[in-house]
Amino acid sequence: PLNNKFSGSAYPPGSTFKVVTGMAILEAGISPQQTMYSTGSFQIGRTIFRDSHRGGHGTTNFYKAIRESVNTYFYTREVGIERVAKTATDFGLGEKTGIDIPGEEKGVVPTPEWKMKRFNQKWLPGDLVNMSIGQGYVLTTPLQVLMVYQGIANKGVMYKPTVVDKFVSFDGKVENKEPEVLRKLPFKPENIEIIREALKEPVNKPGGTARILYFPNLPVSAKTGTAQNTGFKDHHSWLAGYFPSDNPEIVFISLVEGGGYGGVASGDLVRKFIIKYNEKYNIAQ
Protein backbone atom coordinates (compact mmCIF):
# COMPACT_ATOMS: atom_id res chain seq x y z
CA PRO A 1 0.00 0.00 0.00
CA LEU A 2 1.02 3.60 -0.74
CA ASN A 3 3.98 2.42 -2.81
CA ASN A 4 4.52 3.26 -6.48
CA LYS A 5 4.80 -0.32 -7.65
CA PHE A 6 5.51 0.66 -11.27
CA SER A 7 9.03 1.80 -10.42
CA GLY A 8 9.34 1.28 -6.67
CA SER A 9 8.71 -2.47 -6.26
CA ALA A 10 10.69 -5.39 -7.67
CA TYR A 11 9.15 -8.70 -8.72
CA PRO A 12 10.20 -11.94 -10.43
CA PRO A 13 9.51 -11.09 -14.09
CA GLY A 14 8.62 -14.64 -15.14
CA SER A 15 8.61 -15.38 -18.85
CA THR A 16 8.78 -11.72 -19.88
CA PHE A 17 12.48 -12.23 -19.06
CA LYS A 18 12.80 -14.80 -21.87
CA VAL A 19 13.63 -12.06 -24.37
CA VAL A 20 16.72 -11.34 -22.25
CA THR A 21 17.75 -15.00 -22.10
CA GLY A 22 16.78 -15.27 -25.76
CA MET A 23 19.11 -12.43 -26.69
CA ALA A 24 21.93 -14.12 -24.75
CA ILE A 25 21.25 -17.31 -26.74
CA LEU A 26 21.32 -15.51 -30.08
CA GLU A 27 24.43 -13.48 -29.18
CA ALA A 28 26.16 -16.76 -28.31
CA GLY A 29 25.78 -17.72 -31.96
CA ILE A 30 23.02 -20.30 -31.51
CA SER A 31 20.75 -20.37 -34.57
CA PRO A 32 17.07 -19.59 -33.95
CA GLN A 33 16.29 -22.62 -36.13
CA GLN A 34 18.25 -25.02 -33.91
CA THR A 35 15.79 -27.30 -32.15
CA MET A 36 15.42 -29.29 -28.94
CA TYR A 37 12.69 -31.72 -27.92
CA SER A 38 10.46 -30.64 -25.06
CA THR A 39 9.25 -33.61 -23.02
CA GLY A 40 7.70 -31.48 -20.29
CA SER A 41 10.55 -31.66 -17.78
CA PHE A 42 14.29 -31.16 -17.33
CA GLN A 43 16.30 -32.78 -14.56
CA ILE A 44 19.49 -31.71 -12.79
CA GLY A 45 20.55 -34.22 -10.17
CA ARG A 46 17.41 -35.03 -8.22
CA THR A 47 15.66 -31.76 -9.04
CA ILE A 48 13.06 -31.70 -11.82
CA PHE A 49 12.21 -28.41 -13.57
CA ARG A 50 8.84 -28.41 -15.31
CA ASP A 51 7.67 -27.02 -18.59
CA SER A 52 4.61 -24.84 -19.00
CA HIS A 53 2.84 -27.90 -20.49
CA ARG A 54 3.25 -31.04 -18.39
CA GLY A 55 3.25 -33.19 -21.51
CA GLY A 56 5.83 -31.02 -23.25
CA HIS A 57 5.80 -29.03 -26.48
CA GLY A 58 7.64 -31.42 -28.79
CA THR A 59 10.27 -30.21 -31.27
CA THR A 60 10.98 -26.58 -30.46
CA ASN A 61 13.07 -23.82 -32.03
CA PHE A 62 13.55 -20.23 -30.84
CA TYR A 63 10.34 -18.91 -32.40
CA LYS A 64 8.18 -21.66 -30.94
CA ALA A 65 9.87 -21.21 -27.56
CA ILE A 66 8.75 -17.58 -27.50
CA ARG A 67 5.34 -18.34 -29.02
CA GLU A 68 4.37 -21.09 -26.58
CA SER A 69 6.68 -19.99 -23.72
CA VAL A 70 8.59 -23.29 -23.68
CA ASN A 71 10.62 -23.28 -20.46
CA THR A 72 12.82 -26.25 -21.29
CA TYR A 73 14.16 -24.57 -24.43
CA PHE A 74 15.70 -21.87 -22.23
CA TYR A 75 16.78 -24.38 -19.57
CA THR A 76 18.83 -26.34 -22.08
CA ARG A 77 20.57 -23.57 -24.07
CA GLU A 78 23.95 -23.66 -22.32
CA VAL A 79 25.18 -20.08 -22.65
CA GLY A 80 26.36 -19.58 -19.05
CA ILE A 81 25.49 -17.24 -16.21
CA GLU A 82 28.11 -14.68 -17.25
CA ARG A 83 26.51 -14.13 -20.66
CA VAL A 84 22.94 -14.10 -19.32
CA ALA A 85 23.86 -11.65 -16.54
CA LYS A 86 25.75 -9.37 -18.94
CA THR A 87 22.84 -9.37 -21.38
CA ALA A 88 20.50 -8.41 -18.54
CA THR A 89 22.73 -5.52 -17.47
CA ASP A 90 23.13 -4.45 -21.12
CA PHE A 91 19.33 -4.06 -21.12
CA GLY A 92 19.64 -1.90 -18.00
CA LEU A 93 18.35 -4.44 -15.50
CA GLY A 94 19.84 -4.28 -12.02
CA GLU A 95 20.11 -0.49 -12.13
CA LYS A 96 17.79 2.48 -11.92
CA THR A 97 16.44 4.03 -15.11
CA GLY A 98 16.58 7.56 -13.71
CA ILE A 99 12.88 8.22 -14.20
CA ASP A 100 11.70 11.50 -12.65
CA ILE A 101 9.74 9.78 -9.86
CA PRO A 102 11.28 9.31 -6.39
CA GLY A 103 11.71 5.92 -4.78
CA GLU A 104 12.87 3.90 -7.79
CA GLU A 105 14.15 0.38 -7.08
CA LYS A 106 17.05 -1.11 -9.05
CA GLY A 107 16.06 -4.79 -8.83
CA VAL A 108 18.49 -7.72 -8.87
CA VAL A 109 20.55 -9.36 -11.60
CA PRO A 110 21.99 -12.33 -9.68
CA THR A 111 25.52 -13.65 -10.23
CA PRO A 112 27.68 -16.17 -8.36
CA GLU A 113 29.44 -13.25 -6.66
CA TRP A 114 26.13 -11.66 -5.67
CA LYS A 115 24.81 -14.93 -4.20
CA MET A 116 27.98 -15.51 -2.18
CA LYS A 117 27.86 -11.98 -0.80
CA ARG A 118 24.11 -12.03 -0.14
CA PHE A 119 23.65 -15.58 1.19
CA ASN A 120 27.19 -16.93 1.63
CA GLN A 121 26.23 -19.76 -0.74
CA LYS A 122 27.75 -21.13 -3.94
CA TRP A 123 26.02 -20.68 -7.28
CA LEU A 124 24.27 -23.88 -8.37
CA PRO A 125 23.29 -25.09 -11.87
CA GLY A 126 19.63 -24.81 -10.89
CA ASP A 127 20.08 -21.11 -10.15
CA LEU A 128 20.70 -20.40 -13.84
CA VAL A 129 17.84 -22.71 -14.84
CA ASN A 130 15.47 -20.66 -12.69
CA MET A 131 16.95 -17.35 -13.84
CA SER A 132 16.59 -18.29 -17.51
CA ILE A 133 12.80 -18.01 -17.22
CA GLY A 134 12.71 -14.99 -14.89
CA GLN A 135 12.44 -16.90 -11.63
CA GLY A 136 14.84 -17.59 -8.78
CA TYR A 137 16.77 -14.57 -7.57
CA VAL A 138 16.17 -12.21 -10.52
CA LEU A 139 13.94 -9.23 -9.67
CA THR A 140 12.74 -6.38 -11.88
CA THR A 141 10.39 -3.44 -11.60
CA PRO A 142 7.54 -3.22 -14.12
CA LEU A 143 9.29 -0.10 -15.48
CA GLN A 144 12.48 -2.07 -16.15
CA VAL A 145 10.59 -4.75 -18.07
CA LEU A 146 8.85 -1.98 -20.02
CA MET A 147 12.27 -0.54 -20.88
CA VAL A 148 13.52 -3.89 -22.20
CA TYR A 149 10.60 -4.08 -24.62
CA GLN A 150 10.98 -0.41 -25.52
CA GLY A 151 14.58 -1.13 -26.54
CA ILE A 152 13.45 -4.02 -28.73
CA ALA A 153 10.62 -1.98 -30.26
CA ASN A 154 13.06 0.85 -31.08
CA LYS A 155 15.52 -1.56 -32.74
CA GLY A 156 18.17 -1.08 -30.09
CA VAL A 157 17.64 2.52 -28.98
CA MET A 158 16.38 2.99 -25.42
CA TYR A 159 14.98 6.38 -24.39
CA LYS A 160 15.03 7.64 -20.82
CA PRO A 161 11.57 7.37 -19.24
CA THR A 162 9.85 10.52 -18.00
CA VAL A 163 6.43 11.55 -16.73
CA VAL A 164 7.09 15.20 -17.57
CA ASP A 165 5.95 16.41 -20.99
CA LYS A 166 6.86 20.08 -20.58
CA PHE A 167 7.56 22.83 -18.07
CA VAL A 168 5.36 25.95 -17.99
CA SER A 169 6.65 28.94 -16.00
CA PHE A 170 4.46 31.44 -14.14
CA ASP A 171 4.68 33.88 -17.07
CA GLY A 172 3.48 31.25 -19.55
CA LYS A 173 6.84 30.33 -21.06
CA VAL A 174 6.81 26.70 -22.25
CA GLU A 175 9.85 24.45 -22.19
CA ASN A 176 9.22 21.08 -23.82
CA LYS A 177 10.97 18.01 -22.44
CA GLU A 178 12.93 16.58 -25.36
CA PRO A 179 13.49 12.82 -25.74
CA GLU A 180 16.80 11.67 -24.25
CA VAL A 181 18.64 8.55 -25.39
CA LEU A 182 19.45 6.49 -22.31
CA ARG A 183 21.47 3.76 -24.02
CA LYS A 184 22.02 1.99 -27.30
CA LEU A 185 21.81 -1.76 -26.96
CA PRO A 186 25.09 -3.47 -27.95
CA PHE A 187 23.45 -6.42 -29.68
CA LYS A 188 23.70 -7.44 -33.33
CA PRO A 189 20.90 -5.78 -35.34
CA GLU A 190 19.98 -9.12 -36.89
CA ASN A 191 19.42 -10.61 -33.42
CA ILE A 192 17.17 -7.72 -32.39
CA GLU A 193 15.21 -8.33 -35.58
CA ILE A 194 14.89 -12.06 -34.80
CA ILE A 195 13.37 -11.20 -31.42
CA ARG A 196 11.05 -8.64 -33.02
CA GLU A 197 9.80 -11.32 -35.41
CA ALA A 198 9.48 -13.88 -32.61
CA LEU A 199 7.39 -11.50 -30.48
CA LYS A 200 4.72 -11.40 -33.18
CA GLU A 201 4.04 -15.12 -32.75
CA PRO A 202 2.46 -15.27 -29.26
CA VAL A 203 -0.32 -13.03 -30.61
CA ASN A 204 -0.63 -14.14 -34.21
CA LYS A 205 0.16 -17.85 -34.38
CA PRO A 206 -1.86 -20.88 -33.17
CA GLY A 207 -0.70 -21.94 -29.72
CA GLY A 208 0.49 -18.44 -28.87
CA THR A 209 0.16 -17.44 -25.22
CA ALA A 210 -1.05 -13.90 -26.01
CA ARG A 211 -3.78 -14.69 -28.58
CA ILE A 212 -6.14 -12.48 -26.56
CA LEU A 213 -4.34 -9.48 -28.14
CA TYR A 214 -5.07 -10.48 -31.73
CA PHE A 215 -6.73 -7.77 -33.82
CA PRO A 216 -7.17 -8.28 -37.60
CA ASN A 217 -6.13 -4.71 -38.46
CA LEU A 218 -3.78 -3.83 -35.57
CA PRO A 219 -0.73 -6.11 -35.22
CA VAL A 220 0.52 -6.45 -31.65
CA SER A 221 3.80 -7.96 -30.42
CA ALA A 222 3.80 -9.34 -26.90
CA LYS A 223 5.16 -11.84 -24.38
CA THR A 224 3.25 -13.24 -21.42
CA GLY A 225 4.70 -14.08 -18.03
CA THR A 226 3.36 -16.15 -15.15
CA ALA A 227 5.67 -15.71 -12.17
CA GLN A 228 5.75 -17.82 -9.05
CA ASN A 229 6.03 -15.88 -5.81
CA THR A 230 5.78 -16.47 -2.07
CA GLY A 231 3.43 -13.65 -1.10
CA PHE A 232 0.24 -14.55 -3.00
CA LYS A 233 -1.96 -17.61 -3.43
CA ASP A 234 -1.58 -17.46 -7.21
CA HIS A 235 1.18 -16.47 -9.64
CA HIS A 236 1.82 -12.91 -10.77
CA SER A 237 0.32 -12.20 -14.18
CA TRP A 238 2.58 -10.30 -16.61
CA LEU A 239 2.20 -9.11 -20.18
CA ALA A 240 4.67 -6.88 -22.02
CA GLY A 241 4.89 -5.73 -25.62
CA TYR A 242 4.20 -2.99 -28.13
CA PHE A 243 2.06 -2.04 -31.13
CA PRO A 244 1.80 -1.72 -34.08
CA SER A 245 4.35 -4.49 -34.52
CA ASP A 246 6.35 -3.15 -37.49
CA ASN A 247 6.10 0.56 -36.68
CA PRO A 248 5.68 0.69 -32.90
CA GLU A 249 3.98 3.67 -31.33
CA ILE A 250 3.22 2.39 -27.83
CA VAL A 251 5.03 -0.01 -25.50
CA PHE A 252 2.97 -1.48 -22.66
CA ILE A 253 3.37 -3.45 -19.46
CA SER A 254 0.75 -5.09 -17.25
CA LEU A 255 1.35 -6.75 -13.90
CA VAL A 256 -1.48 -8.18 -11.81
CA GLU A 257 -0.18 -9.32 -8.42
CA GLY A 258 -1.46 -12.82 -7.73
CA GLY A 259 -3.49 -12.61 -10.94
CA GLY A 260 -2.58 -16.04 -12.29
CA TYR A 261 -1.86 -16.80 -15.92
CA GLY A 262 -0.28 -13.92 -17.86
CA GLY A 263 -2.50 -14.28 -20.91
CA VAL A 264 -5.70 -13.99 -18.89
CA ALA A 265 -5.65 -11.35 -16.13
CA SER A 266 -3.08 -9.07 -17.74
CA GLY A 267 -4.24 -10.05 -21.21
CA ASP A 268 -7.73 -8.75 -20.50
CA LEU A 269 -6.40 -5.44 -19.19
CA VAL A 270 -4.04 -4.89 -22.12
CA ARG A 271 -6.73 -5.74 -24.65
CA LYS A 272 -9.03 -3.11 -23.12
CA PHE A 273 -6.17 -0.60 -23.19
CA ILE A 274 -5.40 -1.24 -26.87
CA ILE A 275 -9.07 -0.86 -27.82
CA LYS A 276 -9.33 2.45 -25.95
CA TYR A 277 -6.06 3.73 -27.39
CA ASN A 278 -7.18 2.92 -30.91
CA GLU A 279 -10.56 4.59 -30.33
CA LYS A 280 -8.74 7.77 -29.34
CA TYR A 281 -5.91 7.82 -31.91
CA ASN A 282 -7.24 5.60 -34.72
CA ILE A 283 -4.00 3.81 -35.53
CA ALA A 284 -5.54 0.60 -36.86
CA GLN A 285 -4.20 -0.30 -40.28
Side-chain angles (χ1 to χ4, degrees):
L2 304 181
N3 185 45
N4 179 9
K5 297 182 179 184
F6 173 61
S7 59
S9 291
Y11 303 84
S15 292
T16 61
F17 188 80
K18 286 175 179 173
V19 296
V20 177
T21 310
M23 183 61 78
I25 290 168
L26 296 173
E27 288 285 298
I30 297 174
S31 168
Q33 300 299 342
Q34 181 179 320
T35 62
M36 54 79 66
Y37 192 83
S38 164
T39 63
S41 65
F42 175 67
Q43 187 167 348
I44 297 181
R46 290 179 292 179
T47 304
I48 296 176
F49 298 88
R50 298 291 182 184
D51 225 328
S52 48
H53 289 176
R54 286 277 176 162
H57 298 257
T59 302
T60 301
N61 63 12
F62 183 84
Y63 297 98
K64 183 177 179 180
I66 294 292
R67 178 172 74 245
E68 298 184 11
S69 207
V70 184
N71 291 344
T72 48
Y73 176 90
F74 299 93
Y75 295 159
T76 56
R77 304 300 91 179
E78 298 178 358
V79 296
I81 176 57
E82 293 81 8
R83 186 180 291 274
V84 174
K86 183 181 184 305
T87 303
T89 55
D90 285 342
F91 269 114
L93 301 182
E95 62 183 71
K96 297 179 181 180
T97 67
I99 191 172
D100 43 3
I101 303 174
E104 184 178 9
E105 281 288 330
K106 66 178 185 178
V108 174
V109 174
T111 62
E113 296 75 20
W114 173 88
K115 187 182 179 186
M116 180 57 69
K117 183 178 180 180
R118 177 70 174 81
F119 298 107
N120 195 29
Q121 295 176 358
K122 291 183 178 180
W123 187 264
L124 301 174
D127 292 331
L128 179 55
V129 169
N130 281 324
M131 182 180 176
S132 71
I133 60 165
Q135 296 281 176
Y137 299 114
V138 62
L139 294 173
T140 61
T141 66
L143 170 60
Q144 288 174 323
V145 176
L146 185 81
M147 293 293 287
V148 168
Y149 284 79
Q150 186 227 116
I152 294 169
N154 286 334
K155 298 184 178 181
V157 179
M158 189 178 286
Y159 290 93
K160 185 176 180 178
T162 177
V163 295
V164 175
D165 178 49
K166 59 189 175 184
F167 298 95
V168 182
S169 64
F170 69 94
D171 59 358
K173 182 181 178 182
V174 177
E175 179 185 344
N176 291 314
K177 186 79 175 287
E178 297 299 325
E180 178 182 345
V181 175
L182 181 64
R183 68 176 73 232
K184 293 186 178 180
L185 302 179
F187 311 124
K188 295 177 181 178
E190 58 266 34
N191 289 336
I192 294 176
E193 194 57 36
I194 288 170
I195 289 184
R196 283 170 58 90
E197 287 300 309
L199 285 174
K200 296 176 181 178
E201 300 210 357
V203 177
N204 297 288
K205 292 289 185 70
T209 58
R211 291 285 290 168
I212 191 172
L213 301 186
Y214 175 76
F215 297 92
N217 57 349
L218 181 53
V220 178
S221 295
K223 180 72 192 76
T224 56
T226 307
Q228 295 177 349
N229 64 90
T230 57
F232 292 80
K233 292 182 179 180
D234 208 342
H235 303 326
H236 291 329
S237 171
W238 286 90
L239 189 53
Y242 52 86
F243 63 92
S245 292
D246 292 325
N247 188 26
E249 185 170 312
I250 288 291
V251 61
F252 58 80
I253 182 77
S254 173
L255 167 64
V256 180
E257 293 177 322
Y261 182 61
V264 178
S266 282
D268 183 58
L269 289 174
V270 173
R271 183 176 179 84
K272 290 176 180 176
F273 164 72
I274 293 173
I275 291 171
K276 286 294 184 182
Y277 187 90
N278 186 52
E279 287 176 356
K280 184 174 179 64
Y281 296 106
N282 191 29
I283 64 169
Q285 299 174 357

